Amino acid sequence: MALDRITLTNFRNHPETRLAGTAQFNLLVGENGAGKTNILEALSLLAPGRGLRRAALTDLPSQSGDGGCAVSAELDGGVQLGTGIRPNRPGRRIARASGAEIPALGLSEWLSIGWLTPAMDRLFSEGAGARRRFLDRLVLALEPGHAKNAARMENALRERNRLLGELAEPDPAWLEALESQLAEAGALVAQARVRLVAALSERLATLPEAPFARPELAYQPGGPLNAAELAAELASTRRRDRAAQRTLTGPHRDELLVTMAGKGQPASACSTGEQKALLIAITLAHADLLQDSRPALLLLDEVAAHLDPLRRTALFDRLRAGRAQIWLTGTELAPFEAIAAEASVWRVRDGSVERQG
């Protein structure tokens, strides 16, 4: 058990929601719009980043509240984790551990969180940017420093593109300084992605090809992985990039390639059901990595409803064998019959919860 005594205050449609007596499996059951996913989103914010919806901070507080909101939970060992927004500081998120304010990145020292939502079903049909964001979220759960490196890379990239787009010839010294920053941070970002793909691939290689389709992963870099080599390439392609008015080399052009093992078929060409199975397999392999070091949560939004009974049983068996605390949502209890007796179950209605059983 990772988290217990969870409280949501003025968060989305939850004015004051408390969940206690958690188990390895935790089921949130209710009609669409009741607030089930809002609870998962609140839990996802007990880790660095923007949560499973990537929402703006101003969207999180309840419309009927004072502009602030809070999420707190007790971790094994009695550590109290919390995050939220003060009413007078709507654009700033605060985080706490046992009452002491900490950087949001500090939350990752206590807890690792992964998730799978219906919005992610489009991952293999969207552009490469969606897969880079997915990859970075997986890296961040394992390597908290990745967020700082990614931010430095994005800032340097944005400034370089701005200079390349100006009418006047950019100052070479200023470009060189920006390219040095971009190469240093970008190489760290790319190398972290490489490590993550290698670790996931190792876990996935041990899995059978049924009942879930087994994915094979490949990392396609958008430029050199070495900082010095990347800086040299950026310098040598200034004329080309100036004509394009954007940087055409670097980790911002990386791609995650996913193939269905056995068929050798790209995920983008697989059926909707096969793509879902591939995504579940990647999520479960990542959950295995998460629980190796810190207490881990796995948030699965509406995942069981889209699986046949055979795959549901296989999913629950895989989850039961791990050490992560699992949170699942559904509109009815029937798909969860195989785990209902061992789970904590809450009925969610209009932003409130009622413990079942």
Side-chain angles (χ1 to χ4, degrees):
M1 186 173 63
L3 292 183
D4 199 11
R5 301 183 185 181
I6 299 158
T7 302
L8 282 62
T9 303
N10 289 330
F11 186 89
R12 297 284 192 181
N13 71 331
H14 289 268
E16 192 70 29
T17 287
R18 293 184 174 85
L19 302 100
T22 59
Q24 181 182 19
F25 288 107
N26 300 276
L27 309 181
L28 303 169
V29 182
E31 297 178 354
N32 293 328
K36 305 184 300 296
T37 305
N38 291 341
I39 295 175
L40 296 191
E41 181 183 28
L43 294 175
S44 74
L45 290 169
L46 293 173
R50 295 172 57 183
L52 59 80
R53 282 196 177 109
R54 304 187 75 249
L57 292 177
T58 52
D59 293 337
L60 302 180
S62 168
Q63 294 182 358
S64 59
D66 58 5
C69 65
V71 181
S72 67
E74 187 174 296
L75 188 66
D76 280 350
V79 174
Q80 192 79 19
L81 297 181
T83 189
I85 302 167
R86 293 190 179 101
N88 59 342
R89 298 289 298 276
R92 180 173 179 267
R93 177 185 168 198
I94 60 171
R96 294 183 179 277
S98 294
E101 189 165 334
I102 60 173
L105 277 175
L107 291 169
S108 60
E109 296 180 12
W110 302 98
L111 189 65
S112 295
I113 304 179
W115 57 79
L116 181 60
T117 69
M120 293 165 61
D121 290 351
R122 301 186 298 272
L123 182 69
F124 303 122
S125 58
E126 293 182 324
R131 287 180 290 280
R132 284 192 295 273
R133 288 191 296 273
F134 172 71
L135 195 56
D136 284 336
R137 176 174 66 76
L138 301 186
V139 173
L140 180 60
L142 293 163
E143 301 186 32
H146 186 71
K148 186 178 295 184
N149 294 330
R152 287 177 57 218
M153 181 190 78
E154 291 294 337
N155 290 337
L157 177 65
R158 191 181 306 112
E159 186 64 14
R160 184 179 191 267
N161 286 343
R162 184 186 68 79
L163 291 180
L164 293 173
E166 291 181 348
L167 292 176
E169 189 73 26
D171 178 1
W174 181 231
L175 265 180
E176 183 178 354
L178 281 174
E179 288 165 358
S180 177
Q181 295 175 31
L182 174 55
E184 180 184 354
L188 292 173
V189 167
Q191 291 162 15
R193 291 171 178 170
V194 169
R195 287 193 295 273
L196 186 278
V197 171
L200 281 177
S201 296
E202 185 177 346
R203 294 293 174 111
L204 290 168
T206 65
L207 300 180
E209 294 185 15
F212 292 110
R214 182 167 63 83
E216 293 178 342
L217 309 183
Y219 177 76
Q220 181 174 291
L225 301 179
N226 175 275
E229 293 175 4
L230 180 55
E233 184 158 336
L234 289 169
S236 68
T237 56
R238 288 176 188 171
R239 186 178 298 276
R240 179 202 66 184
D241 290 353
R242 183 163 168 74
Q245 295 195 334
R246 66 186 189 278
T247 303
L248 298 177
T249 298
H252 61 290
R253 297 180 67 84
D254 289 352
E255 172 66 290
L256 173 66
L257 304 177
V258 181
T259 304
M260 183 175 173
K263 284 188 174 182
Q265 186 167 294
S268 58
C270 292
S271 70
T272 302
E274 287 170 337
Q275 290 185 12
K276 183 74 172 184
L278 292 170
L279 191 53
I280 289 174
I282 294 172
T283 300
L284 294 179
H286 184 248
D288 288 345
L289 296 176
L290 289 182
Q291 62 195 26
D292 283 350
S293 55
R294 293 179 293 277
L297 260 65
L298 185 56
L299 314 176
L300 303 175
D301 194 15
E302 298 288 350
V303 68
H306 303 287
L307 299 175
D308 58 51
L310 174 65
R311 286 175 174 80
R312 275 203 302 268
T313 299
L315 172 64
F316 296 149
D317 287 344
R318 279 286 309 277
L319 295 173
R320 188 183 288 110
R323 300 190 305 276
Q325 186 182 63
I326 314 300
W327 290 79
L328 304 108
T329 66
T331 55
E332 56 186 2
L333 193 56
F336 305 107
E337 285 182 359
I339 58 171
E342 61 192 281
S344 292
V345 183
W346 288 271
R347 175 67 61 174
V348 185
R349 295 187 180 90
D350 298 323
S352 63
V353 299
E354 180 184 355
R355 179 70 179 266
Q356 302 291 291

